[in-house]
Amino acid sequence: MTAPVANPIGRAEINGLIFNPYSKDFIRNPDPVWQRLMKDFPIAWHKDLQMWLVSSHELCDKVLKDNRFSPNFRVWELAPPPKAEADKNDFDFAFEKGFFAVTPKEHLRLRKLTMPAFSKPVMGKIDGKIRDLVEDCFNAIGDAEEFDVYETLANKIPVRSIARMIGVDTNMEEFFHEFAVSVIKSTRINLGVKERDAAMQGTLPGFKYFREQIAARRALPHPGDDFLGSLVGATDNGEKLDDYEILSVVFALITAGSDTATDLHTFLIHGLLKNPDQYELLKQKPELMENAIIELLRYGSFGKMPFFRFATEDIEFAGQHIKKGQAIGVNIQSAWHDPAKWENPNTLDITRRLDGNIVFGAGAHFCIGTYLVRVQGMLMLKEFMKRYPHAELADGDGRIDYEYTHHNARRINKLIVKTNAKTARKAA
Amino acid sequence: MKKWICVICGHIYDEAAGDPGGGVAPGTRFEDVPEDWVCPECGSPKSAFEEYTG
């Protein structure tokens, strides 16, 4: 065992040699790194990333449920100085009103007003709205003997689903996709200031578009029963959401359900086909679907960068002194593989009891898109199983490849599935 | 029997079903759920729940 490196004040420290989320080896095979972090450095200051890294399930869970650790990057000691009011743009105003920036009290109010739009019953109805989008993606595959999951499904279903949900026209999908990527990049503190600023500028046409959409809804006698309409019409004790609060929700929906869900689809299929016994079991017991999706997310653990939190005060935590303003990387991907929490963490078991999991986070900032993710994943997998019950990974590994420079995820950008559809038909 | 919804994650507490996994027996009214009980889905406190009428 390697002991944590202690600096003169007794702080446990690591560096990029121990955890480098951009390393190709890590992206291809992250588990050895995670296991080492959890065993030897469950909490340590990362000298190269300039943040604390918390890696065990127990500590990640604690940080996520402790409101002294804020997701508001304005609390960060290295945050750029706030802009003058006159220099602020739509991005700044939406961010300031958003889930990650407001006080805990304001956050609860926002969640109350927006919860109806994201709740399980409402998301269940989304099923009918996006089913044809999913079927269209599969129809485009047709009778092919092989297809690339990334190109045909993962790169298309999430962004089209979100666009449909918000009411964006089909012919504006590319515009929306650019907006979505820019929104996500604008929030990543691991990116340089210039890259973040450029991404922020890239969001402005999208914000302008949605402001116009909101204004149009407000002008109607009834704003509508769809997602945007329910936000425009939401009330709590006479209070309503203002434009920037609604934009901040669109912002959250994009970060929760668009770019991240791209990885959902590739990792769901990869995990199942890599474990044919589990694929067989799911076909036999489709009632396991929701549990299977959460287990597949846990098993695949596709993120590479941790969640960010920032200390709002000096905090003694797990034997370390965290100073006000310091960043904390909550390495939930490693926590999902923590052997102290999960028996045989590297085994996919779709019947696993997942009580206490933090696959969608925990505490006040629990993933608002959780049910949307499940609905989308279920629709895709059901269609996949129906059409390709004998599918397997091409050449054993799906000729898998990764986008090593992705800002956030261990993104699979090539995964070839052999459908065996014609063979099965001939045999029948 | 009423239903209550967690405003953070949308989890529904159904008084008829209780939360056996969290030590709350079926048929337990929400007022009688222990104050230190947390949402089984996201870990939010009891105060994050509102009556659900949907």
Side-chain angles (χ1 to χ4, degrees):
Chain A
M1 170 176 157
T2 310
V5 182
N7 73 359
I9 56 169
R11 184 167 72 176
E13 292 185 344
I14 57 174
N15 57 26
L17 294 174
I18 292 172
F19 175 60
N20 174 6
Y22 292 99
S23 135
K24 288 189 174 182
D25 285 343
F26 171 76
I27 289 167
R28 283 190 287 252
N29 183 25
D31 197 65
V33 174
W34 290 334
Q35 295 303 331
R36 184 179 180 200
L37 285 170
M38 289 186 287
K39 183 164 171 271
D40 297 342
F41 313 105
I43 177 169
W45 177 255
H46 196 300
K47 290 194 286 187
D48 297 322
L49 296 176
Q50 286 292 292
M51 66 173 71
W52 290 95
L53 191 69
V54 175
S55 295
S56 69
H57 178 95
E58 183 191 1
L59 295 185
C60 286
D61 189 57
K62 278 186 179 165
V63 172
L64 292 173
K65 291 176 180 171
D66 188 333
N67 283 336
R68 295 175 300 170
F69 298 110
S70 167
N72 184 357
F73 97 117
R74 289 281 168 216
V75 176
W76 185 29
E77 60 188 352
L78 302 176
K83 287 181 185 172
E85 209 62 20
D87 295 335
K88 287 180 182 171
N89 55 35
D90 283 348
F91 175 92
D92 301 308
F93 289 124
F95 185 86
E96 285 176 2
K97 294 268 185 155
F99 294 110
F100 286 176
V102 294
T103 63
K105 190 180 168 193
E106 265 299 297
H107 178 258
L108 195 59
R109 173 187 161 267
L110 262 188
R111 294 291 288 237
K112 277 186 184 179
L113 279 163
T114 54
M115 180 267 294
F118 283 99
S119 64
K120 192 172 188 175
V122 173
M123 285 300 142
K125 292 178 191 160
I126 294 290
D127 178 306
K129 282 197 165 188
I130 62 175
R131 181 182 296 275
D132 67 308
L133 292 176
V134 176
E135 288 172 351
D136 283 351
C137 288
F138 278 99
N139 289 341
I141 297 168
D143 261 355
E145 269 299 289
E146 288 188 352
F147 70 91
D148 182 349
V149 176
Y150 176 76
E151 285 297 337
T152 56
L153 303 176
N155 201 30
K156 293 193 166 66
I157 294 174
V159 76
R160 288 182 181 180
S161 299
I162 301 287
R164 173 76 64 89
M165 201 176 142
I166 310 179
V168 175
D169 289 340
T170 311
N171 64 0
M172 293 191 68
E173 280 173 358
E174 192 57 35
F175 170 82
F176 180 74
H177 186 70
E178 287 299 314
F179 175 57
V181 171
S182 298
V183 165
I184 293 159
K185 282 189 165 182
S186 303
T187 64
R188 305 307 302 182
I189 68 166
N190 55 303
L191 298 179
V193 174
K194 277 189 181 173
E195 199 174 349
R196 251 195 344 253
D197 277 348
M200 211 179 288
Q201 291 299 321
T203 67
L204 298 181
F207 278 119
K208 180 172 178 289
Y209 169 80
F210 283 110
R211 284 185 72 179
E212 290 164 0
Q213 296 294 309
I214 294 166
R217 296 300 185 96
R218 291 201 194 281
L220 295 172
H222 184 275
D225 295 322
D226 62 351
F227 183 78
L228 199 57
S230 71
L231 291 174
V232 169
T235 56
D236 181 44
N237 291 326
E239 278 196 81
K240 301 189 84 166
L241 294 165
D242 67 26
D243 282 9
Y244 285 116
E245 285 173 333
I246 294 174
L247 287 175
S248 79
V249 177
V250 172
F251 192 118
L253 179 63
I254 287 169
T255 47
S258 176
D259 192 54
T260 310
T262 301
D263 306 301
L264 164 80
H265 297 285
T266 45
F267 277 81
L268 288 185
I269 290 179
H270 182 252
L272 276 179
L273 298 190
K274 203 177 164 189
N275 297 274
D277 61 318
Q278 297 295 296
Y279 187 41
E280 200 51 45
L281 180 60
L282 187 57
K283 282 187 287 181
Q284 287 168 12
K285 295 187 172 180
E287 67 272 19
L288 290 172
M289 182 63 86
E290 188 167 353
N291 203 68
I293 286 174
I294 302 171
E295 167 68 356
L296 280 157
L297 289 172
R298 185 203 67 75
Y299 167 81
S301 208
F302 58 71
K304 70 179 175 194
M305 290 303 294
F307 279 10
F308 298 124
R309 292 288 186 270
F310 307 95
T312 56
E313 57 187 84
D314 285 359
I315 300 168
E316 295 298 327
F317 185 82
Q320 300 293 317
H321 180 70
I322 299 176
K323 288 183 186 167
K324 181 180 179 180
Q326 286 184 327
I328 299 100
V330 188
N331 201 5
I332 60 170
Q333 290 84 24
S334 64
W336 300 351
H337 282 221
D338 188 343
K341 170 69 181 171
W342 306 109
E343 194 178 339
N344 301 319
N346 291 317
T347 300
L348 178 72
D349 174 5
I350 62 170
T351 66
R352 188 189 290 273
R353 283 205 60 167
L354 292 160
D355 301 348
N357 79 78
I358 51 172
V359 167
F360 293 102
H365 294 275
F366 183 83
C367 174
I368 199 166
T370 182
Y371 293 115
L372 178 61
V373 167
R374 296 177 209 203
V375 168
Q376 224 186 78
M378 280 193 256
L379 275 174
M380 186 281 289
L381 270 188
K382 279 181 188 168
E383 200 63 30
F384 181 83
M385 293 196 305
K386 187 173 86 183
R387 298 194 187 215
Y388 311 117
H390 306 291
E392 56 189 357
L393 293 174
D395 298 336
D397 68 350
R399 303 199 284 276
I400 194 168
D401 203 0
Y402 296 88
E403 181 188 331
Y404 293 101
T405 54
H406 190 269
H407 63 98
N408 192 35
R410 297 188 301 110
R411 170 147 300 170
I412 292 175
N413 64 359
K414 182 180 167 191
L415 183 70
I416 309 297
V417 163
K418 192 175 172 201
T419 62
N420 291 323
K422 284 181 188 164
T423 318
R425 264 203 304 276
K426 275 181 197 164
Chain B
M1 294 267 107
K2 294 176 184 171
K3 290 181 180 176
W4 299 74
I5 189 163
C6 173
V7 301
I8 298 299
C9 71
H11 174 80
I12 291 171
Y13 174 81
D14 182 345
E15 292 182 345
D19 175 27
V24 182
T28 306
R29 290 184 309 160
F30 194 69
E31 301 91 281
D32 299 328
V33 170
E35 288 307 311
D36 60 355
W37 175 83
V38 295
C39 172
E41 189 74 55
C42 71
S44 290
K46 191 179 164 185
S47 58
F49 279 74
E50 289 193 334
E51 192 173 339
Y52 178 64
T53 52

